[in-house]
Amino acid sequence: MASLPAITGSRKSKWVGPPRLAGAVNRPCTWVLASPGLRNAEPGASGALRQPDRHGSGCVGEAGPRGSAPAARLPCAGPGLLLSGQGDPPDNMKNFWKFIFRKNLPPTSLCQMDFAILGLGDSSYAKFNFVAKKLYRRLLQLGGRALLPVCLGDDQHELGPDAAVDPWLRDLWDKVLGLYPVPLDLGMIPAGVPLPPKFTLHFLPEAPRMCSEEQHVTGTDPHGPPSEQQPFPAPMVSNRRVTGPLHFQDVRLIEFDITGSGLSFAAGDVVLIQPENSASHSQQFCQVLGLDPDQNFTLLPREPGVSCPARLPQPCSVRHLVSHYLDIASVPRRSFFELLACLSPHELEREKLLHFSSPQGQEELYSYCSRPRRTILEVLCDFPHTAGAIPADYLLDLIPPIRPRAFSIASSLLAHPSRLQILMAVVQYQTRLKEPRRGLCSSWLASLDPGQGPVQVPLWVRPGGLTFPETPDTPVIMVGPGTGVAPFRAAVQERVARGQSGNFLFFGCRWRDQDFYWEAEWMELERRGCLTLFTAFSREQERKVYVQHRLRELGPLVWELLDRQGAYFYLAGNAKCMPADVSEALTSIFQKEGGLSGPDAANYLARLQRTRRFQSETWA
């Protein structure tokens, strides 16, 4: 049967999850392209990825953050399940994305393919599940037949993505098994029986000569650029609180020395930092599960063609696995409770776990786990008999890996050679649980004190969502309240060093004397004529004033810069309300100053976005 031609230059293929049951020759293949746009949506994706194994389907291909799937050729026979994220397509999907939207593809290219698309995203973002929606429409245009309407899992739903994903998956497998029945000699693995673990932990009788943390990680290139598989251990130079003593939030300016790293970045790029669990939490986890942290092991895949996680050294200590790899501080998904119930030997605990993992128990699970943000470690402490009986081989199936955290780079190499700075708010909040909730990465970074001795932080750099014009006379309008100002500091430093004028910055915070980041630096640049600064201190008057109010006040200037001088407009910060408020302020300016009608003002803003003259980088 005809298939789409392969993309030239696509990334190296890597197939994972071959058939778990023998005798699957000549069976229709379930093909999966997994490209979750949100890291915290991945546990939902991983559950879907393993569904074909339970249903006895054939190979499952994956292209996600692990890296490596081609997305180069779509099958035209058998059902295809594609998981996708929001916003722009992920890096390892971009070649496929360009290819699938070629205008010369005939409308019958996929006429023999059944497909289903599952999107995982967060509805607080403007482009909620954009990739999934657009891909769904495009596959229909190419003649593909949708088994089901596109599913849009939403992290903002009180029950998480499972609220949409669970019923959709049930309907999907009813459809798939109706079209492609499982041969009688294969059958299905019952729901209460755990799938075999992906890996085996082979414990070593003696410790290796070198500590496992010093072993070279398999599958990495010591001469390649820093990456997730081979991050650069950057020495921390300084870690300074920049909010006043009366401010509710601890915000840090952290500087790293990247001498000899080979790292290069431009304004708008981001740094990814690989955090680790605290020593106390790692120790508690080992105690609850009855693990010896000093025990060493090698990791062995149970299936051919499956490689071990590149971030884990071989051999590895239990201590390193727990502190550097297993995300025991994350809030568990429903799939965690499903597997835990399968592994539990304790009747009462198993009964409760089964209830939490059932459709009927979702409200109670939400109250127990999601609402108070209870962590995996805390759940395991609540189910001690089950935790103490977890086979070590299942640790990597049960607990997701610690994901890197992305921070906007707040400095330019032109102003600070061999240095990289970030502006980081320490995440801490209270729920009904006694212990405050803390962000894993921000709390870990805040705890590091280079004044007490050398500190190294694993990091690497990737392009961000903001790119700035290179022409010297193109103005830029930057709106960055709070820590959203970080990428604009890098942009201003870079543009000033290159002699680029027309830098307009709208900055908002609560109090001038408590959280006005880089005040002295901005004042000096204004004095030199390199920057025009507009501030909004929301708590310094009876009526709160935000950046969108300043934009409206300066409507004539904003319209002049955008419409007559070809300025670029940038927005960075919290995704909750501010982006919508700023967009509303802009459309109001277009109507008032440009004389546009409501629909024309909306089209004008859309045209700015389409031509990349309006760019935003927001986070929930």
Side-chain angles (χ1 to χ4, degrees):
M1 296 183 181
S3 64
L4 296 177
I7 302 175
T8 356
S10 62
R11 298 196 178 188
K12 184 181 178 183
S13 301
K14 175 185 175 184
W15 292 97
V16 300
R20 293 184 174 275
L21 300 173
V25 183
N26 296 325
R27 297 216 36 233
C29 166
T30 302
W31 189 85
V32 180
L33 169 64
S35 52
L38 284 183
R39 295 295 191 189
N40 59 4
E42 283 185 30
S46 63
L49 286 172
R50 299 202 81 191
Q51 285 278 355
D53 297 335
R54 188 170 292 282
H55 288 276
S57 292
C59 297
V60 179
E62 178 188 0
R66 282 191 280 282
S68 29
R73 182 183 289 115
L74 285 174
C76 291
L81 169 65
L82 292 93
L83 291 91
S84 178
Q86 63 192 45
D88 295 325
D91 289 343
N92 62 347
M93 187 184 179
K94 285 181 179 176
N95 282 340
F96 164 73
W97 192 256
K98 290 177 184 176
F99 172 78
I100 203 77
F101 284 95
R102 285 182 181 174
K103 292 182 179 179
N104 61 354
L105 285 178
T108 56
S109 297
L110 299 180
C111 64
Q112 298 183 69
M113 188 182 86
D114 297 328
F115 71 90
I117 292 182
L118 165 60
L120 299 170
D122 185 320
S123 59
S124 66
Y125 288 83
K127 291 187 175 182
F128 170 59
N129 272 315
F130 171 80
V131 173
K133 296 171 186 175
K134 190 168 182 178
L135 187 57
Y136 178 81
R137 291 193 298 268
R138 182 56 175 161
L139 295 184
L140 288 177
Q141 290 173 355
L142 294 175
R145 186 180 69 169
L147 296 174
L148 292 172
V150 59
C151 176
L152 304 178
D154 185 6
D155 244 34
Q156 288 298 315
H157 193 283
E158 64 177 16
L159 300 181
D162 290 339
V165 171
D166 283 346
W168 185 86
L169 281 176
R170 284 195 297 271
D171 292 345
L172 171 69
W173 291 112
D174 285 346
K175 287 265 189 182
V176 169
L177 295 174
L179 290 169
Y180 307 97
V182 176
L184 296 176
D185 59 331
L186 287 181
M188 286 171 48
I189 300 175
V193 178
L195 292 170
K198 297 175 186 174
F199 302 99
T200 297
L201 274 69
H202 175 64
F203 287 99
L204 305 177
E206 296 180 0
R209 293 182 181 178
M210 292 191 300
C211 172
S212 62
E213 286 79 358
E214 297 173 353
Q215 297 283 329
H216 177 63
V217 178
T218 58
T220 59
D221 177 10
H223 303 295
S227 64
E228 183 170 5
Q229 288 71 38
Q230 187 74 35
F232 175 70
M236 182 182 285
V237 176
S238 61
N239 185 351
R240 180 169 60 90
R241 175 172 173 142
V242 292
T243 41
L246 301 179
H247 197 264
F248 78 100
Q249 194 170 40
D250 181 0
V251 178
R252 302 294 181 105
L253 177 62
I254 302 177
E255 183 173 51
F256 302 100
D257 183 357
I258 57 170
T259 304
S261 67
L263 288 170
S264 179
F265 53 86
D269 288 349
V270 298
V271 59
L272 289 103
I273 292 177
Q274 187 65 54
E276 60 186 66
N277 294 309
S278 69
S280 60
H281 285 168
S282 299
Q283 181 180 5
Q284 185 182 12
F285 178 87
C286 289
Q287 289 173 346
V288 171
L289 271 72
L291 298 170
D292 177 3
D294 296 318
Q295 181 77 51
N296 290 275
F297 65 89
T298 55
L299 199 63
L300 305 174
R302 293 175 60 93
E303 296 168 344
V306 176
S307 58
C308 295
R311 278 171 39 207
L312 285 179
Q314 292 274 34
C316 180
S317 71
V318 170
R319 189 190 313 278
H320 185 87
L321 172 70
V322 176
S323 62
H324 289 75
Y325 190 80
L326 298 179
D327 196 357
I328 60 176
S330 63
V331 178
R333 300 285 192 188
R334 194 176 108 180
S335 56
F336 171 87
F337 291 91
E338 290 174 350
L339 180 53
L340 204 57
C342 291
L343 301 175
S344 176
H346 191 271
E347 185 177 352
L348 290 178
E349 291 185 0
R350 183 172 65 254
E351 185 179 337
K352 190 65 176 177
L353 291 165
L354 285 170
H355 178 65
F356 280 153
S357 60
S358 69
Q360 299 76 22
Q362 290 314 286
E363 290 289 346
E364 193 173 339
L365 177 60
Y366 176 75
S367 298
Y368 167 73
C369 196
S370 301
R371 181 179 288 127
R373 311 296 295 167
R374 200 181 300 268
T375 67
I376 284 177
L377 175 57
E378 290 168 332
V379 171
L380 292 173
C381 290
D382 286 347
F383 294 86
H385 299 91
T386 302
I390 295 173
D393 288 354
Y394 276 99
L395 287 176
L396 275 74
D397 294 85
L398 188 65
I399 303 173
I402 298 174
R403 293 299 183 191
R405 272 53 168 182
F407 297 89
S408 295
I409 298 174
S411 60
S412 168
L413 288 172
L414 299 180
H416 300 277
S418 301
R419 292 289 190 266
L420 187 153
Q421 297 178 356
I422 62 171
L423 185 68
M424 179 199 74
V426 180
V427 177
Q428 181 172 326
Y429 55 96
Q430 191 68 51
T431 67
R432 62 182 176 84
L433 297 181
K434 183 178 179 181
E435 186 177 342
R437 307 291 89 187
R438 294 181 173 87
L440 174 63
C441 187
S442 62
S443 297
W444 174 66
L445 285 174
S447 72
L448 303 177
D449 184 2
Q452 299 296 315
V455 174
Q456 291 185 332
V457 172
L459 55 79
W460 63 100
V461 166
R462 67 166 169 77
L466 305 177
T467 55
F468 293 85
E470 296 182 3
T471 49
D473 55 347
T474 302
V476 294
I477 304 170
M478 298 163 283
V479 180
T483 55
V485 76
F488 302 138
R489 181 179 182 246
V492 170
Q493 288 182 352
E494 196 166 279
R495 287 173 61 83
V496 169
R498 290 175 173 167
Q500 292 173 296
S501 58
N503 303 306
F504 297 85
L505 175 63
F506 288 78
F507 173 73
C509 64
R510 294 191 172 201
W511 306 94
R512 178 185 288 272
D513 64 344
Q514 294 295 314
D515 54 340
F516 189 1
Y517 311 128
W518 298 303
E519 177 183 8
E521 191 171 321
W522 303 135
M523 296 299 106
E524 172 60 20
L525 289 171
E526 267 210 307
R527 188 190 63 79
R528 290 166 48 191
C530 300
L531 176 70
T532 303
L533 176 68
F534 306 104
T535 55
F537 303 112
S538 62
R539 303 300 199 272
E540 292 200 348
Q541 57 281 313
E542 186 176 349
R543 184 170 174 268
K544 292 179 182 177
V545 175
Y546 297 113
V547 286
Q548 60 266 26
H549 300 131
R550 292 290 185 233
L551 284 168
R552 289 176 185 267
E553 291 171 11
L554 293 151
L557 172 64
V558 173
W559 177 252
E560 165 70 23
L561 291 171
L562 286 172
D563 194 62
R564 294 183 175 84
Q565 298 188 36
Y568 280 56
F569 190 96
Y570 297 89
L571 174 65
N574 191 287
K576 190 173 182 181
C577 299
M578 185 268 299
D581 291 339
V582 168
S583 295
E584 186 180 336
L586 284 177
T587 52
S588 175
I589 290 169
F590 300 159
Q591 290 174 274
K592 183 178 179 181
E593 306 301 332
L596 302 180
S597 65
D600 286 344
N603 289 334
Y604 190 97
L605 180 61
R607 188 163 64 250
L608 291 177
Q609 293 171 325
R610 192 167 56 251
T611 58
R612 299 282 292 166
R613 284 182 54 208
F614 181 108
Q615 300 177 37
S616 64
E617 188 163 88
T618 58
W619 50 86

